[in-house]
Amino acid sequence: MKRPTIADVARRAGVSKGAVSYALNGQRGVSEATRQRILAIAAEIGFSPSSAARALSGATAKAVGLALCRPARILGIEPFFMELISGVEAELSARSYALTLQVVADQDAEIAVYRRWWAERRVDGVFVCDLRTDDRRVPALEELQLPAVVIGGPGHTGSLASVWSDEAAALAETVEYLVALGHRRIARVGGLPALLHTEIRSDAFTEVCGRLGLDESVTVWSDYTGEEGARATRRLLSSPNRPTAVIYDNDVMAIAGLSVAQEMGLQVPGDLSIVAWDDSPLCQLVHPPLTALGRDIPAYGAHAARQLLRVIAGEPTGELQDETAHLTPRGSTAPPRVR
Amino acid sequence: MKRPTIADVARRAGVSKGAVSYALNGQRGVSEATRQRILAIAAEIGFSPSSAARALSGATAKAVGLALCRPARILGIEPFFMELISGVEAELSARSYALTLQVVADQDAEIAVYRRWWAERRVDGVFVCDLRTDDRRVPALEELQLPAVVIGGPGHTGSLASVWSDEAAALAETVEYLVALGHRRIARVGGLPALLHTEIRSDAFTEVCGRLGLDESVTVWSDYTGEEGARATRRLLSSPNRPTAVIYDNDVMAIAGLSVAQEMGLQVPGDLSIVAWDDSPLCQLVHPPLTALGRDIPAYGAHAARQLLRVIAGEPTGELQDETAHLTPRGSTAPPRVR
DNA sequence: CTGAAAGCGCTTACAG
DNA sequence: CTGAAAGCGCTTACAG
């Protein structure tokens, strides 16, 4: 099957190729009647302009890129990324933008991918995930002047646009809720410490525990996997003064923690309350269902996409604050049983 | 920052643009010494050929497409797709191919995306997931002559290449294992019945149950979500002659089923044995850990990618059989307790 | 409102 | 082995 070109449409419509181009791109230069006739013919013969030709003649590539820097086993198990991607995608495809995905091994590889995408003119802009406190990707993108939106923050984004959510506030709300239930010994199983949002949560945890006088609070580090979450939980629950409540930095670790508690003969929530950070459907699959901090991740992705298209269009942008995660109490939290 | 072009490299190297092109593409027409010099200069000034210009001059787009037709909540919760994508991606990026992702609402939208990608010359080929028994995408792709690899089968793939795994054999192995443990009343919670692989599993289940004389076996349908898996489980466990073992078509439903059993006061595996089809890390997070049917999904994706690149290169291909899922017994299966 | 033409940055026969 | 040139299919000033 031969692909139709703009010349085919022009011939059928009895106009020049330029006129077809104007009609398709909504530019002035053709009468409304002609425009409608051209659009009808294009639809009829199944014409879409070659993305290559369009990109080459100075227009945009109509594609944006997302590089993911996590190993397969973690990417797969966390619903976060797939939900984010589906939100990003919904917004992009509504504007006829394609999403190019690449999995990378580390920050250097990711920067190399950005350079290549830029040199190849393959994408008009990129999303940056998993922001670190001292992130080399930010200056690299600034240097390339490749439009970008950082998914994360606040701060540490240089001159790049960003979308972020107030994790410090969400964490404080959670701790205050647990304290209101009567908990005093609260532990937190944190994610990868090199990530900015982990640091933000840690600082907030320290701050709120200090403010409320919870001097037995403790944070242990993990890597978001179930195995590490289970190990961290075993360590916490084996200590002489074990916590009565644990906050986990993702849902997978929380589920692993629940399992460990049950295996050690502890009642949840009687002996131990559990809060999961990401509220995915997984949290409602287990028994008891997990109290969780959640927000609309597909919407977050859609907002990031809208922000990126704005940057690409040269419109003024900045840091966009998204909704703060809210706590949904379920069966895994209760007042601590007196011992 | 100005993007370097092939002319910049040619000028620096003191050769023609043609020579640079030959050198970069590994074609004959330049001496080895010149080729090395050209490659060094290209690397030095950060030159990568414009993907648009390359695609326009008849070469390939160096991109392939994957359209996903599942709602966000299901995409997110199933590790399968993200693992598949990461395997696909690993193979593609090793050959400098980009992956274009699009989420679509239904089969018609998916076919429209294929037509557009084809007309735009945006991709050199596509992956087809979630094959149906009477799939309209197959004839549509044949008509477009767009290179494609179906991830699924066997059969129903028309003239398209495919990769598949023997699900019937895996199911039979599972049922035989449960029977060997002493189970006679075995139920199955199936996925969406419109999908070919669900039908293959169902036919195999009927066949093996007939062969082994399990006349109380039953299949109920679900949609892969935890809620539906839980509902199906409640129905099964409330029946007078409840099954002593249940096979779930995915891990999420199996976990939901485990939770329902526990909530109904049944011991797993004493009162009920549970087998999950996809063996993701989730299966090991719960208590007891789930006996599961698993295989290497990233490798499956990598094989599909290799197959697609082969089709694009015009090499002979066909149906490629991948490894059969194998059963990993864990704590959720045991001989049925005598009642 | 329309047509003719240059140009985007490559690839690839073609002639030397 | 190398150079000059056509051509891929668009977009966009420019002249009418």
Side-chain angles (χ1 to χ4, degrees):
Chain A
M1 211 168 151
K2 176 89 172 49
R3 287 183 177 86
T5 70
I6 198 170
D8 298 321
V9 179
R11 197 177 321 111
R12 285 243 204 173
V15 298
S16 69
K17 295 191 298 175
V20 175
S21 177
Y22 291 139
L24 257 58
N25 294 312
Q27 310 252 5
R28 27 166 300 150
V30 283
S31 69
E32 195 47 36
T34 310
R35 183 192 307 279
Q36 291 306 333
R37 194 158 48 84
I38 290 172
L39 290 179
I41 291 172
E44 184 195 334
I45 67 175
F47 170 73
S48 296
S50 153
S51 58
R54 194 170 231 178
L56 191 55
S57 32
T60 57
K62 285 272 202 176
V64 298
L66 173 61
L68 292 176
C69 178
R70 296 218 184 168
R73 67 194 174 109
I74 298 188
L75 267 184
I77 204 175
E78 284 208 312
F80 178 83
F81 276 112
M82 209 66 195
E83 291 186 6
L84 186 78
I85 287 172
S86 77
V88 162
E89 228 299 305
E91 185 68 27
L92 290 179
S93 60
R95 320 258 201 114
S96 303
Y97 261 77
L99 176 65
T100 295
L101 202 74
Q102 175 129 19
V103 177
V104 294
D106 54 38
Q107 248 196 93
D108 287 329
E110 187 170 334
I111 291 172
V113 165
Y114 292 149
R115 288 192 191 285
R116 187 165 50 75
W117 279 346
W118 172 81
E120 292 180 348
R121 297 153 171 74
R122 203 178 259 284
V123 300
D124 298 326
V126 297
F127 297 102
V128 179
C129 295
D130 284 338
L131 191 61
R132 287 156 189 272
T133 44
D134 186 22
D135 205 302
R136 298 200 311 283
R137 297 171 298 173
V138 171
L141 288 167
E142 287 175 332
E143 189 201 349
L144 290 176
Q145 297 186 46
L146 183 60
V149 164
V150 176
I151 298 179
H156 302 80
T157 58
S159 61
L160 304 181
S162 66
V163 292
W164 64 285
S165 172
D166 190 344
E167 309 232 313
L171 186 93
E173 181 196 340
T174 305
V175 172
E176 283 159 6
Y177 159 78
L178 291 170
V179 168
L181 286 178
H183 293 275
R184 302 288 299 169
R185 287 197 308 281
I186 301 173
R188 172 168 165 266
V189 176
L192 293 166
L195 300 182
L196 175 65
H197 79 269
T198 306
E199 186 175 300
I200 289 174
R201 293 176 184 187
S202 298
D203 290 349
F205 189 61
T206 305
E207 189 277 326
V208 68
C209 289
R211 178 157 51 81
L212 300 175
L214 310 175
D215 42 356
E216 289 184 89
S217 70
V218 56
T219 294
V220 295
W221 305 105
S222 177
D223 66 354
Y224 294 118
T225 64
E227 298 96 74
E228 281 301 311
R231 198 165 305 155
T233 306
R234 265 184 220 107
R235 218 177 317 144
L236 285 171
L237 299 184
S238 307
S239 68
N241 250 327
R242 61 173 169 76
T244 61
V246 183
I247 302 169
Y248 290 87
D249 258 13
N250 76 353
D251 47 0
V252 170
M253 293 193 295
I255 291 171
L258 171 64
S259 193
V260 165
Q262 291 172 340
E263 145 204 321
M264 290 174 75
L266 297 180
Q267 295 287 325
V268 174
D271 300 317
L272 183 71
S273 284
I274 287 181
V275 179
W277 195 291
D278 293 319
D279 186 10
S280 76
L282 290 179
C283 294
Q284 297 180 60
L285 290 185
V286 292
H287 194 75
L290 300 183
T291 295
L293 267 171
R295 60 197 173 96
D296 188 340
I297 302 299
Y300 190 48
H303 297 156
R306 211 169 303 158
Q307 183 91 321
L308 182 53
L309 294 178
R310 217 174 278 137
V311 177
I312 290 170
E315 294 167 23
T317 43
E319 300 201 330
L320 175 68
Q321 183 173 359
D322 210 65
E323 75 176 310
T324 301
H326 50 268
L327 193 69
T328 301
R330 299 202 184 90
S332 68
T333 45
R337 196 180 285 164
V338 183
R339 278 187 293 191
Chain B
M1 211 167 150
K2 177 86 173 49
R3 288 183 177 86
T5 71
I6 199 171
D8 298 322
V9 180
R11 197 177 319 114
R12 284 244 206 174
V15 297
S16 69
K17 294 191 298 174
V20 175
S21 178
Y22 292 139
L24 256 58
N25 294 314
Q27 310 250 5
R28 27 167 299 154
V30 284
S31 69
E32 194 48 36
T34 310
R35 183 190 308 279
Q36 291 307 332
R37 196 157 48 86
I38 290 172
L39 290 178
I41 289 171
E44 184 194 335
I45 69 175
F47 170 74
S48 296
S50 154
S51 56
R54 192 171 234 177
L56 190 56
S57 34
T60 57
K62 285 273 202 174
V64 298
L66 173 60
L68 292 177
C69 177
R70 298 217 182 167
R73 68 198 174 105
I74 298 190
L75 267 183
I77 203 175
E78 283 207 313
F80 178 83
F81 276 113
M82 209 65 196
E83 290 186 7
L84 186 78
I85 287 172
S86 77
V88 163
E89 227 301 305
E91 185 68 27
L92 290 179
S93 60
R95 320 257 203 116
S96 302
Y97 262 78
L99 176 66
T100 295
L101 202 75
Q102 176 129 18
V103 177
V104 293
D106 54 39
Q107 245 194 99
D108 288 328
E110 188 171 333
I111 291 173
V113 165
Y114 291 148
R115 289 193 191 285
R116 186 165 51 75
W117 278 348
W118 172 82
E120 291 181 349
R121 298 154 169 74
R122 203 178 257 285
V123 301
D124 299 324
V126 298
F127 297 102
V128 179
C129 295
D130 285 337
L131 191 62
R132 287 156 189 273
T133 44
D134 186 23
D135 205 301
R136 297 200 312 284
R137 297 172 298 173
V138 171
L141 288 167
E142 287 175 332
E143 188 200 350
L144 290 176
Q145 296 185 44
L146 183 59
V149 164
V150 175
I151 298 180
H156 302 79
T157 58
S159 60
L160 304 182
S162 67
V163 293
W164 64 285
S165 173
D166 191 345
E167 309 232 315
L171 187 94
E173 181 195 339
T174 305
V175 172
E176 283 159 7
Y177 159 78
L178 290 170
V179 168
L181 286 179
H183 294 275
R184 303 288 301 170
R185 289 198 306 282
I186 301 173
R188 171 168 165 268
V189 176
L192 294 167
L195 299 182
L196 175 65
H197 80 268
T198 306
E199 186 175 299
I200 289 174
R201 292 176 185 187
S202 297
D203 291 348
F205 189 60
T206 305
E207 189 278 323
V208 69
C209 289
R211 176 156 54 79
L212 299 176
L214 309 176
D215 42 357
E216 290 183 272
S217 69
V218 55
T219 294
V220 294
W221 305 104
S222 177
D223 67 353
Y224 294 118
T225 64
E227 298 96 74
E228 281 302 311
R231 199 165 302 154
T233 306
R234 266 185 219 104
R235 219 179 316 145
L236 285 171
L237 298 185
S238 306
S239 71
N241 250 329
R242 62 173 169 75
T244 61
V246 183
I247 302 170
Y248 291 87
D249 259 12
N250 76 353
D251 45 0
V252 171
M253 294 193 295
I255 291 171
L258 170 65
S259 193
V260 165
Q262 291 172 340
E263 144 203 323
M264 291 175 74
L266 297 181
Q267 293 287 327
V268 175
D271 300 316
L272 183 73
S273 283
I274 287 179
V275 180
W277 194 292
D278 293 318
D279 186 11
S280 76
L282 290 179
C283 295
Q284 299 181 59
L285 289 187
V286 292
H287 194 75
L290 300 182
T291 295
L293 268 170
R295 61 198 172 96
D296 189 339
I297 302 299
Y300 191 47
H303 297 157
R306 213 169 302 158
Q307 182 91 321
L308 182 52
L309 295 178
R310 217 174 279 136
V311 177
I312 291 170
E315 294 166 24
T317 43
E319 299 201 329
L320 174 69
Q321 183 173 359
D322 209 64
E323 75 175 312
T324 300
H326 50 267
L327 194 68
T328 302
R330 298 202 185 90
S332 69
T333 46
R337 196 181 285 165
V338 182
R339 276 189 295 191

